[in-house]
């Protein structure tokens, strides 16, 4: 079942943020969408009947006119979420008035570890942001990027998050050429996430752990709804340079250019979605997964494969990749 | 009873049928081709019997079978609050 265009798009408004110690998928380089480009993109997305948009960065809360953009999208009426680093929450009330549906903030671990990644004072600033948005009744989520360095802090991080009325604690996968979780670490992580879930924690591994069905967490998966990687199936990302890429892990300019990503201003979204060779290969699943009986369910994390092996061959984090 | 699509929901036609987006709930619902055909007839001008008869003639299937299919589909759409009744 192939959709005629994505139903869900990540829109990167800028790559401006306070640089952090994690080598993220969109290192800050100062690039940004103009307001005119952003509003025009929203019109293009709505014309293609894209229903849900997640505004990403950089730090979207530093983008001038962010509340006006959210309000414009909500009036379409799109569902709008925003991924923030909690660098500036002065627009919180304006975002509530704009009817923002959801916001996500990062907690990388306990205070000392978090600040070592995101800068002195960042942990307390993030807690204040979480409280502010929860108090404004905006659906607030927390994202934790799990690396080999903070893997041991999972339970402590969950304890911190559980003190707030956030609706989801998302466990995100660190996609990096060398510093990534191997199969045994992924299994350990997802077993512990499952244990926390059993304790009643609202903790959710994201879809980049495409092999969830091979871990103890499989008991919590809705088998009728689980899709593994959704890049190229239901979602895509548009970077602030206008590149259309399969997922946020390709949101830097060099990575977008390395896959010859088409530019949204040069072609329409439906044509790109249907005809771009890389995206067609992406949605089929990894080469090394084609003979796996789980391929249609999973297909591996294409971004992990690409970042680590520079190809769409094999996801080195998958437990079956060891065989 | 005349079924009518909720005015604020948005339909996107697809090769497999359609996606119905409910902006209030922020949810999407997939319809197969048969479901999309019935959905298209829920424009507030046809009652359930007329929809079933139209579909039966179009598909060349027994009216009784089609009526069951239409009733089940409309019950599902009603439970999902995607249609109202005139």
């Amino acid at each position: 079942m192939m959709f005629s265009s994505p139903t869900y798009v990540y829109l990167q408004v800028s790559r401006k943020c306070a640089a952090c110690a994690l080598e993220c998928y969109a290192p800050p380089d100062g690039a940004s969408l103009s307001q005119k480009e952003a509003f025009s993109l929203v019109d293009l997305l709505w014309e293609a009947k894209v229903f849900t948009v997640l505004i990403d960065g950089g730090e979207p809360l530093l983008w001038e006119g962010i509340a006006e953009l959210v309000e414009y999208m909500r009036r379409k009426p799109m569902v709008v979420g925003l991924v923030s680093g909690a660098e500036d929450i002065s627009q919180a009330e304006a975002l509530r008035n704009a009817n923002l549906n959801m916001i996500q903030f990062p907690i990388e671990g306990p205070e000392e570890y978090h600040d070592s990644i995101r800068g002195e004072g960042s942990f307390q600033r993030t807690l204040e942001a979480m409280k502010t948005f929860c108090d404004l009744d905006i659906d607030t989520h927390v994202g934790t990027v799990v690396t080999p360095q903070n893997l041991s802090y999972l339970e402590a991080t969950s304890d911190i998050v559980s003190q707030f009325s956030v609706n989801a604690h998302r466990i995100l996968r660190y996609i990096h050429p060398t510093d990534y979780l191997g199969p045994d670490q992924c299994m350990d992580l997802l077993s512990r996430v499952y244990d926390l879930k059993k304790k009643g924690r609202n903790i959710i591994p994201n879809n980049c752990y495409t092999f969830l069905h091979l871990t103890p967490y499989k008991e919590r998966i809705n088998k009728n709804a689980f899709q593994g990687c959704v890049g190229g199936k239901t979602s895509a990302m548009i970077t602030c340079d206008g590149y259309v890429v399969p997922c946020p892990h390709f949101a830097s300019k060099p990575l977008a250019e390395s896959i010859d990503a088409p530019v949204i201003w040069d072609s329409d979204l439906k044509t790109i979605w249907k005809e771009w060779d890389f995206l067609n290969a992406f949605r089929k699943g990894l080469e090394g997964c084609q003979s796996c009986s789980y391929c249609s369910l999973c297909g591996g994390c294409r971004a992990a494969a690409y970042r680590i092996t520079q190809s769409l061959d094999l996801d080195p984090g998958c437990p079956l990749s060891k065989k | 009873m005349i079924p009518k699509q909720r005015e604020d929901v948005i339909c996107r036609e697809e090769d497999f049928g359609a996606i119905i987006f409910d902006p209030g709930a922020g949810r999407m619902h997939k319809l197969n081709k048969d479901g999309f055909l019935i959905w298209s007839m829920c424009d507030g001008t046809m009652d359930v019997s007329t929809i079933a008869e139209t579909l039966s003639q179009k598909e060349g299937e027994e009216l009784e079978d089609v009526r069951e299919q239409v009733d089940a589909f409309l019950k599902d759409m009603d439970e999902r609050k995607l249609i109202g009744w005139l």
Side-chain angles (χ1 to χ4, degrees), chain B residues 1 12 18 25 33-35 37 40-41 52 54 73 76 80 82:
Chain B
M1 293 282 276
R12 182 170 119 177
K33 285 187 176 173
D34 288 345
L37 209 54
S40 304
M41 287 189 268
T54 307
F73 176 80
D76 185 32
R80 294 174 193 236
L82 295 173

Side-chain angles (χ1 to χ4, degrees), chain A residues 104-319:
Chain A
Q104 179 173 298
F105 296 112
I107 292 286
E108 309 298 359
E111 183 164 5
E112 191 179 344
Y113 179 79
H114 180 98
D115 282 359
S116 74
I117 297 294
R118 290 189 171 262
E120 186 74 31
S122 166
F123 182 81
Q124 290 301 330
R125 200 165 54 241
T126 305
L127 296 191
E128 186 193 342
M130 288 157 59
K131 182 175 184 317
T132 301
F133 280 81
C134 285
D135 288 350
L136 287 169
D137 266 343
I138 296 174
D139 182 11
T140 303
H141 297 187
V142 167
T144 299
V145 178
V146 181
T147 71
Q149 288 72 44
N150 68 353
L151 180 59
S152 62
Y153 297 140
L154 178 71
E155 289 76 10
T157 309
S158 176
D159 288 346
I160 294 163
V161 175
S162 70
Q163 292 166 27
F164 294 81
S165 54
V166 299
N167 287 325
H169 179 194
R170 299 193 178 281
I171 300 304
L172 311 173
R173 190 169 172 194
Y174 190 42
I175 306 292
H176 187 274
T178 53
D179 192 22
Y180 59 89
L181 298 183
D184 293 339
Q185 289 168 309
C186 284
M187 285 296 271
D188 170 46
L189 168 69
L190 296 166
S191 301
R192 289 157 57 201
V193 169
Y194 178 60
D195 289 341
L196 288 165
K197 192 89 179 167
K198 280 196 290 188
K199 284 186 190 169
R201 297 283 168 85
N202 201 353
I203 189 166
I204 307 163
N206 78 341
N207 279 28
C208 301
Y209 299 99
T210 56
F211 41 79
L212 273 178
H213 55 284
L214 301 173
T215 76
Y217 194 86
K218 68 183 175 192
E219 300 300 325
R220 307 297 299 216
I221 295 176
N222 176 349
K223 292 181 180 64
N224 295 321
F226 183 70
Q227 301 179 74
C229 171
V230 292
K233 289 182 189 165
T234 58
S235 71
M237 177 168 210
I238 299 177
T239 73
C240 60
D241 323 282
Y243 292 115
V244 179
V245 294
C247 78
H249 295 292
F250 293 85
S252 70
K253 192 173 181 185
L255 268 173
E257 289 179 342
S258 79
I259 57 172
D260 293 326
V263 176
I264 189 74
W265 314 118
D266 297 341
S267 183
D268 73 281
L269 187 58
K270 286 189 177 182
T271 304
I272 293 170
W273 185 256
K274 189 175 173 186
E275 296 183 359
W276 181 24
D277 290 343
F278 185 83
L279 195 60
N280 282 321
F282 199 93
R283 73 168 62 92
K284 279 180 194 162
L286 296 172
E287 286 297 322
C289 300
Q290 296 303 313
S291 58
C292 176
S293 57
Y294 298 111
C295 186
S296 62
L297 184 67
C298 166
C301 174
R302 287 71 154 169
Y306 190 81
R307 291 301 307 279
I308 298 164
T309 70
Q310 291 81 53
S311 69
L312 294 180
D313 285 343
L314 201 67
D315 176 353
C318 172

